[in-house]
Amino acid sequence: MSGNGNAAVTAEENSPKMRVIRVGTRKSQLARIQTDSVVAMLKALYPSLQFEIIAMSTTGDKILDTALSKIGEKSLFTKELEHALEKNEVDLVVHSLKDLPTVLPPGFTIGAICKRENPCDAVVFHPKFVGKTLETLPEKSVVGTSSLRRAAQLQRKFPHLEFKSIRGNLNTRLRKLDELQEFSAIILAAAGLQRMGWQNRLGQILHPEECMYAVGQGALGVEVRAKDHDILDLVGVLHDPETLLRCIAERAFLRHLEGGCSVPVAVHTAMKDGQLYLTGGVWSLDGSDSMQETMQATIHVPAQHEDGPEDDPQLVGITARNIPREAQLTAENLGISLANLLLNKGAKNILDVARQLNDAH
């Protein structure tokens, strides 16, 4: 820092441009890679700023012997990071967006959603099954996944396979696959594999018609204090408009269904020629009962957008003051409308039974 006299130094230290921005993250290798990518984007935009990365373990990182759906905690991978944000120990936190509940604790908001990578799921095969697909795996092959959503859809599609829970970070799961001889394959998010540089292990991409993905999968969310306007302005430029609108629709759909980790809910979104398409589905735990529908909405994005006070309220936990409010509301309404369509057709019964069965096991 430079400055002539104490007054100048104090003014610089107090100005947002001279602050050290503290960035919270989970300790896993993937989380660090994701956080580093966000910090690199911010450094390119704000070369005069300094960034300090603070890594911490979360409940979800510590409880490794229980399926995620059984732990019954909505903020498994976020709570400790939010405590640090609340206590002003960090200024922002980088998450996988799919880990962030659709209702955030009071005082927090998602200030940026970065451009989404491939949101699809991928199959990694045991070395002896390289070159196979799920369809061509031997009868009764065991496939590892920590997700009820994946298991429900894939059991329905590939009844000759058995699905078993597998926990741990990506490194742990790959080690279990390769060393334990227990699993013929495991299902992971394609984006995580790509970010880790493990494209060579990617044996099969599961397209939405085979397995729809989790809400927000493949996108990174930057969580901040809702009233910290300096930081909101700082990170807001990272919003990718298309990713943002798709994820608002997905999160509104999930929130309105009251879904979460403990029930199989999945989505698929696309933007084409000014239309936002949202497909959403719900499944019973074994995949035998399911319901899915598609709706679309026209997104008007004005050429010019002026911020105003009406741009501050959050939508599904997200603040995006630099993206037209009308477009955001259209996306949110699309998610709510699709959820209502499924609920009116009996989706609540499927979800209630799935929740009860999951709780009972």
Side-chain angles (χ1 to χ4, degrees):
M1 270 188 288
S2 64
N4 299 322
N6 290 340
V9 172
T10 306
E12 282 191 347
E13 281 176 344
N14 289 338
S15 78
K17 285 194 173 169
M18 293 309 293
R19 278 171 60 185
V20 174
I21 307 297
R22 300 154 304 164
V23 183
T25 178
R26 288 168 61 194
K27 281 184 173 172
S28 76
Q29 186 185 354
L30 176 61
R32 289 300 304 262
I33 287 169
Q34 293 178 166
T35 301
D36 288 346
S37 73
V38 170
V39 168
M41 286 189 279
L42 289 170
K43 277 182 175 169
L45 289 163
Y46 308 105
S48 64
L49 280 181
Q50 284 185 291
F51 294 87
E52 179 190 354
I53 295 174
I54 298 166
M56 56 196 86
S57 292
T58 65
T59 307
D61 296 312
K62 293 169 190 162
I63 305 174
L64 294 176
D65 57 351
T66 309
L68 292 179
S69 58
K70 296 272 192 287
I71 302 170
E73 167 66 70
K74 277 191 177 162
S75 49
L76 271 181
F77 295 109
T78 58
K79 194 157 65 173
E80 286 78 2
L81 295 162
E82 284 170 343
H83 282 169
L85 205 49
E86 188 175 32
K87 292 187 287 191
N88 201 20
E89 293 168 356
V90 296
D91 299 301
L92 56 104
V93 175
V94 178
H95 301 280
S96 293
L97 185 61
K98 70 175 180 178
D99 290 339
L100 279 167
T102 54
V103 179
L104 297 184
F108 301 113
T109 189
I110 300 165
I113 296 179
C114 307
K115 188 173 174 59
R116 190 177 216 165
E117 294 209 28
N118 185 346
C120 293
D121 290 313
V123 189
V124 179
F125 292 93
H126 186 281
K128 70 181 177 195
F129 291 121
V130 166
K132 294 269 189 194
T133 64
L134 289 181
E135 205 161 3
T136 58
L137 276 177
E139 191 85 19
K140 297 266 188 277
S141 292
V142 176
V143 177
T145 172
S146 57
S147 155
L148 295 180
R149 170 189 60 80
R150 292 169 179 154
Q153 292 181 81
L154 295 173
Q155 262 175 302
R156 184 185 177 98
K157 196 97 181 160
F158 305 102
H160 70 293
L161 302 176
E162 292 181 3
F163 292 86
K164 188 176 170 186
S165 178
I166 183 169
R167 286 288 321 280
N169 60 38
L170 285 192
N171 309 59
T172 305
R173 282 187 249 179
L174 275 181
R175 194 169 60 249
K176 285 179 178 176
L177 170 68
D178 291 344
E179 295 175 9
L180 293 186
Q181 309 300 322
E182 187 180 350
F183 300 99
S184 301
I186 58 175
I187 315 292
L188 301 167
L193 281 168
Q194 287 163 346
R195 288 181 185 127
M196 293 285 275
W198 291 342
Q199 290 89 333
N200 63 321
R201 293 302 306 267
L202 210 158
Q204 180 182 3
I205 291 275
L206 295 172
H207 298 290
E209 54 274 14
E210 297 171 293
C211 188
M212 290 201 292
Y213 41 84
V215 165
Q217 186 159 305
L220 301 180
V222 182
E223 189 177 17
V224 302
R225 290 178 290 273
K227 289 189 164 62
D228 195 341
H229 296 291
D230 282 351
I231 298 294
L232 263 172
D233 289 342
L234 185 90
V235 302
V237 292
L238 298 180
H239 271 305
D240 176 67
E242 180 178 316
T243 302
L244 171 80
L245 295 171
R246 287 172 61 189
C247 289
I248 285 176
E250 292 173 17
R251 285 171 66 82
F253 171 72
L254 182 65
R255 180 197 272 192
H256 205 67
L257 278 179
E258 296 187 337
C261 267
S262 61
V263 286
V265 174
V267 292
H268 169 49
T269 48
M271 283 268 279
K272 193 176 179 190
D273 301 329
Q275 295 288 309
L276 175 57
Y277 298 86
L278 170 64
T279 302
V282 301
W283 286 260
S284 59
L285 287 191
D286 64 0
S288 61
D289 203 359
S290 76
M291 187 179 292
Q292 60 189 76
E293 292 288 346
T294 302
M295 291 180 81
Q296 69 192 80
T298 303
I299 298 281
H300 295 291
V301 180
Q304 282 193 308
H305 172 59
E306 293 190 7
D307 283 339
E310 77 280 6
D311 294 325
D312 279 341
Q314 300 183 31
L315 291 184
V316 285
I318 300 162
T319 301
R321 291 183 288 190
N322 54 341
I323 306 291
R325 183 79 179 165
E326 185 190 342
Q328 294 183 58
L329 287 168
T330 302
E332 183 188 42
N333 288 333
L334 177 62
I336 292 169
S337 299
L338 185 64
N340 280 331
L341 178 61
L342 287 179
L343 289 169
N344 290 337
K345 290 188 162 194
K348 189 174 188 316
N349 187 47
I350 296 175
L351 293 174
D352 285 347
V353 171
R355 205 173 272 118
Q356 287 160 9
L357 282 172
N358 183 56
D359 291 345
H361 279 95

